[in-house]
Amino acid sequence: MEAVCNGTAADSSKTFAFLKLPDHHTTQLPNGFNSSDQFNNRKKISIMGSTNNSQPKILTGEAGYVLEDVPHLFDYVPDLPTYTNPLQDNPAYSAVKQYFVNADDTVPQKVVVHASSPRGIHFRRAGPRQRVYFESDDVHACIVTCGGLCPGLNTVIREIVCGLNYMYGVNRVLGIDGGYRGFYSRNTISLTPKAVNDIHKRGGTILGTSRGGHDTKKIVDSIQDRGINQVYIIGGDGTQRGATVIFEEIRRRGLKVAVVGIPKTIDNDIPVIDKSFGFDTAVEEAQRAINAAHVEATSIENGIGLVKLMGRDSGFIAMYATLASRDVDCCLIPESPFYLEGPGGLYEYIEKRLKEQGHMVIVTAEGAGQELLSHRLQPKDQEDASGNKLLKDVGLWISQSIKDHFAKEQKMPINLKYIDPTYMIRAIPSNASDNVYCTLLAQSAVHGAMAGYTGFTVGPVNGRHCYIPFNRIIERQNKVVITDRMWARLLSSTNQPSFLTRDTTEAKKVEEELPTQLLDEKSPNS
């Protein structure tokens, strides 16, 4: 199956709403759809929740084809003029065989299929369109970064500014200082290609960031008062939820403002997309901490090196850093429960490993083993400004627990070194791989906004960049599937116990299959 497929709409037994659009909007519809009466008699487009603008925009077609489309400005702003895309006169694109993405191009969410499988869910392919909905001189864009730090933030900022300027001739771009609350309580920063020229070499974000501070009315009032008509929001799942609310308020007011999300999370826990930016850099930098732990552990009798890595609810950094390192003997992640005492427990495995090779390296994600920690370490159910549950420090707790156990049992002396590189990892500049990825994300976001798409997040799906509706990004978190082959590969690499009983494994399989079943039930063809 090709990575990019063309959607074909077909008649269906379901109730349909016809999509009526002016002739100059036809390039935005799949397969050259138009709004003529003849078309309406031949083909039908199903739009789920067409009577409610906040519902997903779903187009269905033959063989179980489902396009989860993104909103467009012409959905709620009537009589929008279009303009020739200036890229056709851009010297940088003069050698490109095909300037523009075909209006039919969509990308399948699932590429591994069987002969009888339906074509399934698709997303609109990202890239430049023949017609744009903004004149370059009229564009007044803004960029905001929210949430925690992540390698690559400055690269995304730089490439949005340079992409708008170099590709589309846009000269007015503002940086919102200090996250969401910066819209109404901070000064703005003027962003030009010269001002952002070398910011990709620095960690952090030149715009500043914060958690919380989301006041929808104040934010949209500020956008409207400043005459901003393109909003680029860089942040994780909480930030994208905020972007969703901003988009809905903008649509309610009928403003010609494109709202675009660029997904950011170092934990790689955003669903649908292949990976989030900063993740590759985090895994690479984690190797330094693991290597230090390995050096410490091998330099002393019964040495144990314990490294705590990021991963509040998802253990991707810990898993991939372990697989890349080859020096790790045990990896603990939030998705895989473990226990300390008794046969098959962590203490028994540590003792066995020390007897076999005289040293050991343990990697734990910050969210692992939270259910085991004493409630005395920290009050329950505390949250940060973004609504994230505050975690207890599993690294300190588990290192002390290991020391106490071996001191109590008096079986062997141990020497444990604990390393926590969390803030060192997320504060560094992005590596080469992430720099390239951030460039693609930023340019895809710019193309989408100029083409009039709004209320979407950009990201790669099966290697092709897509425009993904906000609701798909915020509906759940991406997590390591411990009944999948990747986790089995890690267990084979480290030779650690899985800490799972057969009953727990079966329960996990049911839990991980449930979201897929629910998605199937929501499908228009189910």
Side-chain angles (χ1 to χ4, degrees):
M1 185 174 181
E2 293 292 332
V4 179
C5 300
N6 293 333
T8 304
D11 292 337
S12 171
S13 59
K14 294 187 178 290
T15 302
F16 293 93
F18 297 131
L19 191 60
K20 290 280 194 177
L21 298 171
D23 288 341
H24 62 261
H25 292 310
T26 56
T27 57
Q28 303 298 331
L29 297 174
N31 271 344
F33 290 171
N34 58 63
S35 59
S36 66
D37 290 338
Q38 182 182 6
F39 160 76
N40 284 333
N41 290 330
R42 291 187 294 109
K43 308 259 188 194
K44 295 179 181 179
I45 300 176
S46 167
I47 305 179
M48 288 183 60
S50 59
T51 58
N52 184 343
N53 284 337
S54 65
Q55 295 301 310
K57 186 177 176 182
I58 308 294
L59 311 182
T60 62
E62 295 172 349
Y65 173 90
V66 179
L67 170 61
E68 294 203 1
D69 208 356
V70 296
H72 195 281
L73 290 172
F74 62 53
D75 292 340
Y76 63 92
V77 180
D79 302 322
L80 277 178
T82 64
Y83 310 95
T84 301
N85 193 324
L87 278 181
Q88 69 180 25
D89 301 317
N90 191 312
Y93 280 74
S94 61
V96 179
K97 183 183 295 185
Q98 183 176 341
Y99 291 129
F100 306 113
V101 171
N102 192 298
D104 294 348
D105 285 355
T106 60
V107 180
Q109 182 175 8
K110 187 175 182 180
V111 294
V112 179
V113 296
H114 305 292
S116 59
S117 298
R119 294 176 67 188
I121 294 173
H122 289 59
F123 300 105
R124 190 171 289 279
R125 186 182 178 189
R129 266 54 180 179
Q130 287 183 325
R131 307 291 293 179
V132 295
Y133 286 76
F134 294 93
E135 283 195 290
S136 300
D137 292 341
D138 294 336
V139 173
H140 190 193
C142 75
I143 306 171
V144 64
T145 55
C146 305
L149 295 183
C150 177
L153 281 169
N154 281 333
T155 306
V156 175
I157 294 168
R158 181 190 190 277
E159 295 308 320
I160 291 175
V161 174
C162 292
L164 282 167
N165 186 274
Y166 297 156
M167 293 190 296
Y168 290 97
V170 173
N171 295 313
R172 292 191 297 166
V173 184
L174 288 178
I176 304 300
D177 186 10
Y180 275 136
R181 62 171 52 92
F183 276 101
Y184 53 86
S185 64
R186 292 287 188 94
N187 294 326
T188 57
I189 303 169
S190 179
L191 299 175
T192 64
K194 183 178 181 180
V196 301
N197 182 54
D198 62 352
I199 64 172
H200 61 289
K201 299 175 183 177
R202 311 179 212 166
T205 164
I206 64 163
L207 300 180
T209 186
S210 65
R211 296 188 183 276
H214 190 282
D215 187 316
T216 305
K217 183 179 182 302
K218 287 183 178 181
I219 291 171
V220 178
D221 284 346
S222 175
I223 291 170
Q224 192 170 1
D225 292 344
R226 295 176 188 271
I228 292 169
N229 51 22
Q230 291 185 10
V231 182
Y232 297 91
I233 300 174
I234 309 169
D237 54 352
T239 300
Q240 302 304 312
R241 288 189 185 92
T244 305
V245 179
I246 291 171
F247 161 68
E248 292 296 345
E249 177 61 17
I250 285 173
R251 176 158 60 179
R252 188 188 69 79
R253 297 188 189 188
L255 304 178
K256 184 188 174 183
V257 179
V259 180
V260 182
I262 294 95
K264 177 242 26 161
T265 169
I266 203 168
D267 293 343
N268 198 39
D269 59 3
I270 291 180
V272 181
I273 64 174
D274 295 345
K275 66 176 179 179
S276 54
F277 75 81
F279 176 70
D280 281 353
T281 305
V283 171
E284 183 177 305
E285 187 66 15
Q287 303 302 294
R288 298 177 185 271
I290 293 173
N291 182 60
H294 183 252
V295 169
E296 290 284 353
T298 56
S299 298
I300 196 168
E301 182 183 7
N302 292 332
I304 300 174
L306 175 62
V307 179
K308 185 184 79 173
L309 299 175
M310 285 162 292
R312 176 182 296 275
D313 299 298
S314 304
F316 286 102
I317 293 179
M319 179 174 73
Y320 277 82
T322 294
L323 283 168
S325 169
R326 312 294 179 183
D327 288 330
V328 178
D329 300 287
C330 185
C331 177
L332 307 173
I333 61 173
E335 296 88 341
S336 182
F338 65 94
Y339 55 98
L340 301 176
E341 300 177 344
L346 181 61
Y347 293 152
E348 181 182 83
Y349 176 59
I350 291 173
E351 183 178 342
K352 174 187 173 185
R353 204 65 168 165
L354 291 177
K355 287 179 179 178
E356 288 175 348
Q357 63 183 25
H359 66 272
M360 183 177 189
V361 175
I362 303 171
V363 167
T364 180
E366 61 182 324
Q370 291 293 312
E371 69 280 0
L372 299 177
L373 273 68
S374 169
H375 298 313
R376 293 175 296 176
L377 293 180
Q378 188 170 299
K380 294 176 63 178
D381 301 328
Q382 286 189 344
E383 295 181 345
D384 62 19
S386 296
N388 299 313
K389 184 179 178 181
L390 292 176
L391 302 179
K392 305 171 183 69
D393 193 328
V394 67
L396 285 174
W397 173 79
I398 202 169
S399 61
Q400 191 59 51
S401 298
I402 292 170
K403 291 176 183 177
D404 291 344
H405 170 79
F406 281 92
K408 179 181 178 181
E409 295 296 323
Q410 296 182 341
K411 290 184 176 181
M412 63 175 67
I414 64 166
N415 291 278
L416 190 148
K417 307 297 182 184
Y418 172 51
I419 298 174
D420 181 357
T422 300
Y423 294 105
M424 294 176 63
I425 288 177
R426 74 178 200 171
I428 65 172
S430 52
N431 64 8
S433 173
D434 272 324
N435 271 333
V436 173
Y437 180 30
C438 289
T439 300
L440 299 180
L441 284 174
Q443 292 193 2
S444 294
V446 168
H447 291 316
M450 292 298 295
Y453 294 111
T454 182
F456 70 89
T457 293
V458 64
V461 177
N462 296 314
R464 299 280 186 162
H465 282 246
C466 305
Y467 299 140
I468 305 164
F470 278 143
N471 65 286
R472 288 303 307 275
I473 293 295
I474 64 177
E475 66 185 0
R476 64 180 179 85
Q477 283 185 312
N478 189 30
K479 295 191 175 185
V480 174
V481 179
I482 63 170
T483 55
D484 198 7
R485 280 191 292 272
M486 188 55 105
W487 184 243
R489 292 178 183 119
L490 180 140
L491 297 179
S492 299
S493 175
T494 61
N495 201 30
Q496 71 184 69
S498 69
F499 301 111
L500 294 177
T501 63
R502 181 177 295 274
D503 291 342
T504 308
T505 302
E506 292 302 318
K508 279 285 181 183
K509 287 181 180 178
V510 172
E511 178 185 325
E512 288 156 0
E513 289 170 358
L514 187 59
T516 303
Q517 295 171 358
L518 292 176
L519 286 175
D520 291 341
E521 291 171 5
K522 291 193 292 184
S523 170
N525 293 331
S526 60

